[in-house]
Amino acid sequence: MAHLKWMRVCGCVVARYAEYMSLRSLLPVFSGSLILTAAAIAAQTAASPSHANLLRGNYSELRANNDLLSYDLRVRVDPAKQFISGENTIRFRMLRDGTRIQLDLSETLKVEKILLGRTELKYERDSGAVFVDFPKALKQGKTYSVEFFYSGYPKEIGRFGGLTFKKDPAGRDWITTSCEDDGASVWWPNKDQWRDEVESMRLRVAVPNGLMDVSNGRFSGKRDLGDGYTEWAWKVHYPINNYDVALNIADYTHFSDKLGKLTLDYYVLPENLEKAKAQFAQVKPMLQAYQHYFGEYPFIKDGYKLVEVPYLGMEHQSAVAYGNKYENGYLGRDWAGVGISKKFDFIIIHESGHEWFGNAVTAADMSDMWIHEGWTTYMEGLYVEYLYGKPDAIKYLNGLKSHLKNDRPIVVSDADGKTIHGTNQQPTQDQYFKGALMINTLRSVVDDDAKWFDLIRGFYQDFKYKNILTEDVVSYFNARTGMDLTPIFDQYLRHVAIPMLELKFEPGLVSYRWKADVKAFAMPLKVGDPTKWETIHPTEEWQAMKTSLGKEEFKVATDLYYVKVEKE
Ligand SMILES: [Zn+2]
């Protein structure tokens, strides 16, 4: 599949649409009927991670010995030289006594010095890791601050560039960041992992006069530095992922609005002001939909912002990056292919959904990133349901099946279905679509919409501002439903194949059973006549039911349950 070029939607790979559609017919179709052998799965999942990825991904003792409290990042950006310099004051509490911690900064950037008070600290660099040594042991329970000074010429990396020095169409500087896959340490020093977040953060960004910096959080003032630069200050009042921290530097025009007490601020290129005012009218109903299902926007003190960028989009917390060209759909195209996508702007609806799942509820390891992407894709369906009704939502979510590759489990797993944490390895793009279709399946398993909406709201509310793993999701749903949903989660998340319902017909009778990788797989589903579905409870053992329907007339509700059906 090396001939396919992949693109990232927000952090994850989504096939470059046109190429994907044209190449699909040439690819083997892994439709779920094809169960890959264990060896084939192992070959696809266990590619040994690089030393650099292990250093980045592993939550080592040198990370686990401390708990982040805050960052105070100051950066000066010189567009003419394409050079940055600055410092990050990193405050943390020691969880155990220790003389060394791991921080991270891309090898392409220079460590100027690292201070603890007035003491200059020794450090050792190994690819992107910076191991900082303290002359005396830091004590468990005590809080410390190190000031990390750095500078350099950031190298463009990843599809959205990490930190890029671009020009807008009128030739003015346009400098933005986007670094989910490569990590925030591509442009600033931090503890670059997913498990631990600061509780709050300050950003002060100096840019040449005439440009503006829009970062995360609440704007707290600007200051003319008297040397041709102006410093723009922002304060983040909540926990934040490293990769969400963003610079957006341009000659932006600003307009604003409110939804209740929530401030809405929009920063766009001056030429696009009128288009933006029309397109961003979608923001309020989108926020209303998500607040309806999950509760209040998670970052009220920081406000909601949309910021125009030269790439497609990214869920930068409280400052969502927007680059969908003021068109509906996905760059103007019908994303789900069923006539619904063009009713809304994919980037506004998807990236903003991440404020709830990704930014407020966060995966503790990249292996479990479906918690961001599966849930946010499901939220697209909820947005459709809120505005256009459930039938359209079900149609939309099922339309996304066209994007499925069924190549690897959506949680990074070994051949036995055991999660591989700590390798900085991004899951397959199926985490979006299969994730959403699994959640839609769970809704049908619960089979009580009032209960379902209560459950997902509770799920969000229980885990907001926390970093969690798949096990936490499964425990929550098991406890709150009183059902054993573990086999269902395991089959969809940790295996390539989806459950297959085998049906055998005899006159007046149909026999059924599940075929799945997970032992003792069981899941109820609806079958028979679509105008009056009957719920059956198949297991891996054959059972039978009476039916007057023949093989052709006997249906399975495959729009409500993402399953494969085989009729004999
Ligand atoms: Zn996303």
Side-chain angles (χ1 to χ4, degrees):
M1 304 250 272
H3 58 290
L4 267 184
K5 286 182 186 165
W6 301 103
M7 75 191 291
R8 288 173 184 275
V9 166
C10 46
C12 357
V13 245
V14 162
R16 197 180 293 273
Y17 188 76
E19 286 167 285
Y20 178 64
M21 294 312 280
S22 63
L23 284 167
R24 251 170 68 80
S25 54
L26 305 175
L27 293 172
V29 178
F30 294 168
S31 64
S33 62
L34 180 73
I35 297 172
L36 293 182
T37 63
I41 295 166
Q44 291 184 59
T45 54
S48 44
S50 67
H51 176 66
N53 272 330
L54 283 173
L55 280 175
R56 265 268 288 121
N58 184 24
Y59 202 69
S60 68
E61 171 55 23
L62 301 177
R63 284 170 162 166
N65 68 4
N66 68 85
D67 175 33
L68 285 172
L69 297 174
S70 65
Y71 292 135
D72 187 348
L73 178 64
R74 289 180 81 158
V75 195
R76 172 179 282 247
V77 179
D78 183 339
K81 291 187 183 153
Q82 304 204 347
F83 180 80
I84 60 171
S85 58
E87 65 178 286
N88 186 18
T89 301
I90 302 167
R91 234 177 95 245
F92 56 94
R93 180 181 299 113
M94 286 304 280
L95 299 175
R96 288 183 275 287
D97 290 1
T99 55
R100 181 175 249 214
I101 62 169
Q102 180 185 340
L103 299 174
D104 303 87
L105 183 68
S106 165
E107 290 174 285
T108 57
L109 299 172
K110 184 181 171 200
V111 178
E112 296 285 353
K113 62 183 172 187
I114 306 172
L115 299 178
L116 176 71
R118 288 185 189 162
T119 307
E120 195 162 334
L121 299 171
K122 294 201 168 116
Y123 59 87
E124 197 182 320
R125 302 190 76 170
D126 181 359
S127 62
V130 182
F131 297 104
V132 183
D133 290 308
F134 299 92
K136 278 196 303 192
L138 305 186
K139 293 292 177 197
Q140 176 180 343
K142 278 196 72 179
T143 295
Y144 299 90
S145 289
V146 296
E147 288 171 88
F148 193 134
F149 293 81
Y150 77 111
S151 66
Y153 300 89
K155 202 171 80 182
E156 282 199 24
I157 185 167
R159 176 166 181 262
F160 293 156
L163 188 157
T164 58
F165 291 90
K166 296 205 161 145
K167 301 282 185 189
D168 72 13
R172 297 161 299 207
D173 287 306
W174 199 6
I175 302 150
T176 57
T177 59
S178 185
C179 54
E180 181 174 20
D181 26 326
D182 296 293
S185 52
V186 301
W187 69 271
W188 60 287
N190 60 83
K191 179 178 171 181
D192 203 0
Q193 41 67 56
W194 283 30
R195 196 168 295 251
D196 188 13
E197 293 181 12
V198 290
E199 287 160 21
S200 64
M201 175 165 188
R202 194 150 75 124
L203 285 115
R204 284 171 287 172
V205 182
V207 299
N209 294 342
L211 293 173
M212 173 193 291
D213 170 62
V214 182
S215 285
N216 321 77
R218 182 69 61 186
F219 178 59
S220 60
K222 62 174 180 168
R223 191 162 66 96
D224 189 333
L225 299 178
D227 59 357
Y229 275 70
T230 298
E231 183 182 80
W232 298 77
W234 299 85
K235 171 91 174 89
V236 178
H237 297 82
Y238 302 87
I240 183 167
N241 303 335
N242 294 324
Y243 67 75
D244 267 330
V245 174
L247 305 182
N248 299 285
I249 299 164
D251 181 17
Y252 287 122
T253 290
H254 169 230
F255 63 102
S256 62
D257 200 348
K258 274 191 118 176
L259 178 66
K261 59 182 174 177
L262 175 64
T263 57
L264 313 175
D265 288 280
Y266 304 115
Y267 299 88
V268 299
L269 296 180
E271 298 77 6
N272 293 333
L273 180 60
E274 291 313 313
K275 274 195 277 186
K277 281 183 173 171
Q279 192 74 357
F280 294 175
Q282 296 185 31
V283 166
K284 280 188 185 178
M286 174 274 296
L287 291 170
Q288 282 164 333
Y290 294 158
Q291 294 194 136
H292 169 79
Y293 292 110
F294 295 103
E296 191 175 67
Y297 174 78
F299 309 111
I300 285 225
K301 282 187 224 160
D302 289 350
Y304 171 88
K305 298 180 280 299
L306 264 184
V307 189
E308 186 172 357
V309 294
Y311 57 90
L312 188 58
M314 180 66 201
E315 66 255 35
H316 295 145
Q317 185 170 307
S318 80
V320 174
Y322 176 83
N324 203 31
K325 314 277 186 210
Y326 305 99
E327 289 192 82
N328 278 0
Y330 182 106
L331 290 172
R333 295 188 288 259
D334 181 352
W335 176 235
V338 291
I340 294 169
S341 306
K342 292 192 77 170
K343 293 180 178 183
F344 60 89
D345 184 314
F346 176 80
I347 288 298
I348 295 178
I349 288 3
H350 178 90
E351 304 304 341
S352 304
H354 278 304
E355 295 281 42
W356 281 262
F357 287 96
N359 301 347
V361 178
T362 306
D365 193 289
M366 200 185 268
S367 55
D368 295 48
M369 191 170 157
W370 78 275
I371 295 169
H372 302 186
E373 300 304 343
W375 276 92
T376 299
T377 303
Y378 184 69
M379 289 176 78
E380 295 165 22
L382 289 178
Y383 167 84
V384 171
E385 182 157 345
Y386 186 77
L387 267 83
Y388 307 108
K390 185 173 177 181
D392 272 2
I394 298 294
K395 194 172 160 191
Y396 177 81
L397 290 171
N398 280 280
L400 298 174
K401 284 178 180 168
S402 61
H403 297 301
L404 280 167
K405 297 195 295 161
N406 282 312
D407 57 346
R408 282 177 287 148
I410 64 176
V411 171
V412 178
S413 306
D414 66 15
D416 298 325
K418 192 171 171 293
T419 312
I420 303 173
H421 293 305
T423 61
N424 198 40
Q425 188 184 343
Q426 201 166 94
T428 162
Q429 72 165 51
D430 284 356
Q431 60 174 321
Y432 287 83
F433 318 114
K434 196 172 174 182
L437 289 161
M438 179 192 74
I439 298 165
N440 189 47
T441 302
L442 286 172
R443 175 180 183 171
S444 307
V445 170
V446 169
D447 197 23
D448 176 337
D449 277 353
K451 194 174 165 190
W452 173 250
F453 288 125
D454 227 42
L455 270 171
I456 61 172
R457 189 187 187 87
F459 171 54
Y460 166 75
Q461 291 292 340
D462 275 17
F463 293 116
K464 67 180 174 187
Y465 313 129
K466 290 181 185 159
N467 298 49
I468 61 170
L469 292 171
T470 296
E471 289 75 3
D472 300 302
V473 184
V474 178
S475 301
Y476 170 89
F477 278 91
N478 282 345
R480 286 286 301 269
T481 58
M483 302 162 95
D484 179 15
L485 300 168
T486 306
I488 299 177
F489 279 107
D490 281 351
Q491 183 63 42
Y492 285 99
L493 298 174
R494 303 183 190 284
H495 294 276
V496 175
I498 57 170
M500 179 158 75
L501 186 72
E502 290 187 294
L503 298 174
K504 269 194 219 167
F505 292 86
E506 293 162 58
L509 201 70
V510 58
S511 303
Y512 53 83
R513 72 166 182 186
W514 283 121
K515 219 172 153 184
D517 298 281
V518 171
K519 282 204 172 53
F521 182 83
M523 181 169 86
L525 87 168
K526 293 181 195 293
V527 297
D529 175 353
T531 64
K532 45 175 187 193
W533 291 119
E534 285 178 74
T535 301
I536 56 170
H537 294 82
T539 64
E540 290 182 318
E541 305 299 324
W542 284 109
Q543 299 174 64
M545 66 185 279
K546 285 183 184 159
T547 182
S548 56
L549 300 169
K551 187 173 167 181
E552 292 311 312
E553 298 84 55
F554 189 92
K555 303 289 182 195
V556 175
T558 50
D559 278 359
L560 304 177
Y561 306 83
Y562 178 43
V563 298
K564 174 92 183 146
V565 179
E566 194 177 74
K567 291 180 179 178
E568 276 180 38

